[in-house]
Amino acid sequence: MSEKPVPEDLAEDEDARLSRRRVIGTGAALGGAAIGGALAATVGGSARAEQGSATPAADSNTKLDTDAHLFRLTAAEPDRYDGGTLRGAHEGTFPVLAGQQASVYFVELEIGAIREPHWHPTAWELNYIISGKADWTILGTHPDGTYRNDAFEAKQGDLVFVPQGFFHYFGNASTEQPLQVLVVFNTSAQEPNDDIGIVATVNSLPREILAAAFGVPVAAFGSIPTEVKPVVITRRT
């Protein structure tokens, strides 16, 4: 029995359908390969990330077991300033603190001395008054959009909390004895790495910008010192 010839237009339609099937099939295969590759990369990347994150943790655990757990803070050689001293236990001086998000400082301010107004962009601090008394000012913003300037005096046995990023200073409020403060930060880095002082802040801005902001002549800022130091303890003038 002889086959009937397929009309030319139907043959073209059949060829088109076959071509579409091949294209769709190829696209699906490529899409599946791409998705599979992406998933494999994601899983592999996650595994590598987990492996990478495990190493510091393992190192940290090893350090916790092997590094010295004792640091003689008040016996450490201090950083000396015109007005006081600063001793610090941080990851540079007390290696067991590396990765622990903690550091401690022992601050001594002589009569008439102050800690330069400053703030810490990435850490809060707790201050315990060991002896003497201190005047404090802490400036921060609040949800109502206004500034709250919290000024007070702290005495022996008091605890002062300064939130992360809040502008503050403290000074020796006594005319008879030095001030001793123990300061705890939730960072292991040494203080200069997370400290922005008012002198550095002022010097980071053009004098004409400062003059415009304060509404005074540019000459008013002519006597501001240009030397920027990482941590400043100084005396009241």
Side-chain angles (χ1 to χ4, degrees):
M1 185 181 214
S2 61
E3 294 182 358
K4 294 182 180 180
V6 179
E8 186 176 344
D9 57 342
L10 292 178
E12 291 177 354
D13 289 345
E14 183 63 24
D15 289 341
R17 282 194 295 272
L18 289 173
S19 297
R20 283 197 298 272
R21 289 193 193 101
R22 282 195 294 271
V23 170
I24 292 170
T26 303
L30 290 173
I35 293 171
L39 289 173
T42 302
V43 172
S46 299
R48 286 191 296 273
E50 290 174 1
Q51 291 171 0
S53 62
T55 301
D59 290 346
S60 180
N61 290 336
T62 300
K63 288 175 64 62
L64 291 178
D65 285 334
T66 60
D67 282 358
H69 296 82
L70 173 66
F71 183 81
R72 301 189 186 280
L73 180 60
T74 58
E77 182 64 26
D79 294 328
R80 301 182 185 278
Y81 303 89
D82 180 23
T85 59
L86 181 69
R87 294 172 170 87
H90 48 77
E91 61 188 10
T93 57
F94 195 16
V96 74
L97 292 179
Q100 301 305 311
Q101 301 302 306
S103 56
V104 181
Y105 290 82
F106 179 59
V107 185
E108 291 185 284
L109 296 186
E110 298 169 7
I111 294 172
I114 65 166
R115 172 68 171 92
E116 177 193 15
H118 63 285
W119 70 90
H120 305 286
T122 64
W124 51 252
E125 65 181 78
L126 275 169
N127 302 264
Y128 177 74
I129 311 301
I130 299 173
S131 64
K133 59 182 180 179
D135 51 289
W136 280 84
T137 290
I138 302 173
L139 177 67
T141 58
H142 291 262
D144 61 2
T146 60
Y147 286 99
R148 180 186 177 194
N149 188 31
D150 195 7
F152 55 87
E153 185 175 275
K155 298 179 293 185
Q156 181 178 1
D158 289 345
L159 192 63
V160 177
F161 177 67
V162 180
Q164 175 180 327
F166 276 38
F167 188 63
H168 63 284
Y169 97 97
F170 66 92
N172 188 345
S174 173
T175 58
E176 300 176 352
Q177 68 178 113
L179 170 69
Q180 294 184 329
V181 182
L182 190 70
V183 187
V184 179
F185 292 101
N186 66 327
T187 177
S188 302
Q190 58 181 320
E191 188 176 2
N193 293 348
D194 187 50
D195 180 283
I196 299 177
I198 193 170
V199 175
T201 303
V202 170
N203 277 286
S204 70
L205 301 171
R207 293 295 192 253
E208 61 269 21
I209 301 301
L210 291 169
F214 282 90
V216 298
V218 173
F221 297 93
S223 60
I224 292 178
T226 57
E227 182 183 6
V228 176
K229 300 177 182 179
V231 174
V232 174
I233 294 173
T234 188
R235 299 178 184 276
R236 303 174 197 262
T237 57

